[in-house]
Amino acid sequence: MTRALGIILGFAADRMLGDPRRLHPVAGFGQTAARLERQLYADSRAAGAAHTTILVGTTTALGLAVERVTRNHPILHAAATAAATWTVLGARSLEREAETMAALLEDKDIPAARDRLGHLCARDATDLEADELARATVESIAENTSDACVAPLIWGGVLGIPGLLGYRAANTLDAMVGYRSPKYQNFGWAAARLDDVLNLVPARVCALLTGLAAGRPREATAVWMRDAAKHPSPNAGPVEAAFAGALGLTLGGTNDYGSYQEDRGTLGDGPAPTVADVRRTAALARRVGVAAAAVAAMTAMTAMRKGKRWG
């Protein structure tokens, strides 16, 4: 019960407050990861695997220690779980970025919108116009709804504090080094593959919840089943396809990341996104987050009951 309560409280804190504005633990983790990368970097999978193992292993072990110290103290356990949940979630901050992009595009401030897109994704926005910026924003909201909200909640429900912290460590590393660029093709391989494995189930939960939250489960599922495999990512594909079906849009295309381009396939049947679709997508992502918090809380209660029965 305390795990479920902590997850709900942490989710509520994220909705009300967003990310901590100063001394964010995830930012601190990123700085530590960057320093360790300077020590360990080599153009090899072995070096990248060591980098990933040290950082994710240490963070997960810290979460496990906190879980064990607090598990027999209900108030402390709920508070620690809430703090960890708030720390790892990024749903409210994602929504704020979507609102900022929507406002810039609605004001037709394309240069500012191009600059701001970097807060959501790594695409080269130099030549993107309003509708392409809108597409990039919609796709980033979809993918990050899974990565920054649904997945940490699901892992928190299953494993508690070590699940929350371990998942966020792995996902943050993937965002830092999991690129197909020449520098990280080998070094980032372990982080990218670990992130793929950890998101296999949560991404599909997110896709399912997307259709339900939109009131269009058949349409979202149909596009997911038909088009997800066109996407190069095994997890972003189902999520973006489900959002395309839920919103009645066509997503995908070729994205420019500066040093390389990537064909994301074509997902959906409707028109391409326009500026008006950015706020629609953000509203859908908010509903998906609420549904995911409920699923995580129910998962937590089930997991803790089984733990007591087996213990």
Side-chain angles (χ1 to χ4, degrees):
M1 184 66 181
T2 55
R3 180 184 296 175
L5 177 61
I7 287 172
I8 294 300
L9 290 174
F11 178 78
D14 178 68
R15 288 304 316 163
M16 291 187 293
L17 304 173
D19 288 336
R21 297 191 181 278
R22 297 181 63 188
L23 303 176
H24 196 310
V26 175
F29 173 86
Q31 293 166 3
T32 300
R35 286 194 294 269
L36 184 62
E37 179 186 336
R38 289 194 289 271
Q39 299 295 319
L40 295 181
Y41 179 82
D43 187 16
S44 73
R45 290 185 176 183
H51 181 252
T52 300
T53 300
I54 292 169
L55 289 163
V56 177
T58 301
T59 305
T60 305
L62 174 63
L64 183 60
V66 174
E67 182 84 22
R68 287 183 172 177
V69 167
T70 62
R71 64 183 175 185
N72 293 322
H73 306 277
I75 295 176
L76 284 177
H77 187 249
T81 304
T85 303
W86 177 37
T87 295
V88 304
L89 289 182
R92 182 65 182 115
S93 294
L94 175 64
E95 186 176 338
R96 286 173 177 164
E97 288 299 330
E99 291 167 351
T100 299
M101 282 295 294
L104 291 172
L105 291 171
E106 289 161 359
D107 290 343
K108 298 181 172 55
D109 191 345
I110 303 304
R114 288 170 177 162
D115 289 341
R116 193 72 187 186
L117 186 65
H119 290 246
L120 285 169
C121 62
R123 298 185 201 184
D124 184 351
T126 304
D127 298 320
L128 297 185
E129 298 300 333
D131 285 353
E132 278 298 301
L133 288 165
R135 176 173 78 85
T137 303
V138 167
E139 291 170 359
S140 296
I141 294 169
E143 183 175 359
N144 284 297
T145 295
S146 181
D147 289 354
C149 182
V150 177
L153 286 170
I154 295 301
W155 279 109
V158 174
L159 296 177
I161 297 170
L164 289 162
L165 299 188
Y167 172 78
R168 176 49 63 212
N171 187 250
T172 301
L173 278 185
D174 177 59
M176 294 179 69
V177 303
Y179 294 104
R180 298 181 180 181
S181 62
K183 179 177 180 180
Y184 290 123
Q185 184 76 37
N186 290 314
F187 185 79
W189 179 87
R193 296 295 77 76
L194 177 60
D195 186 70
D196 285 345
V197 170
L198 293 179
N199 278 292
L200 279 172
V201 173
R204 283 143 188 86
V205 172
C206 183
L208 178 62
L209 293 178
T210 297
L212 294 173
R216 290 168 57 91
R218 291 184 180 179
E219 294 86 344
T221 302
V223 175
W224 166 17
M225 293 294 133
R226 188 193 69 197
D227 293 342
K230 299 177 185 177
H231 197 289
S233 168
N235 298 317
V239 174
E240 290 186 28
F243 265 81
L247 294 165
L249 299 173
T250 292
L251 301 178
T254 300
N255 296 340
D256 188 346
Y257 293 94
S259 61
Y260 68 101
Q261 291 186 330
E262 187 173 76
D263 182 1
R264 293 291 187 97
T266 302
L267 317 174
D269 300 304
T274 62
V275 173
D277 293 310
V278 173
R279 293 193 189 273
R280 280 208 308 140
T281 308
L284 175 56
R286 187 186 317 123
R287 296 195 296 273
V288 172
V290 172
V295 170
M298 290 186 289
T299 302
M301 288 188 287
T302 301
M304 294 195 79
R305 279 198 299 268
K306 287 184 177 180
K308 288 181 179 178
R309 189 181 309 138
W310 293 338

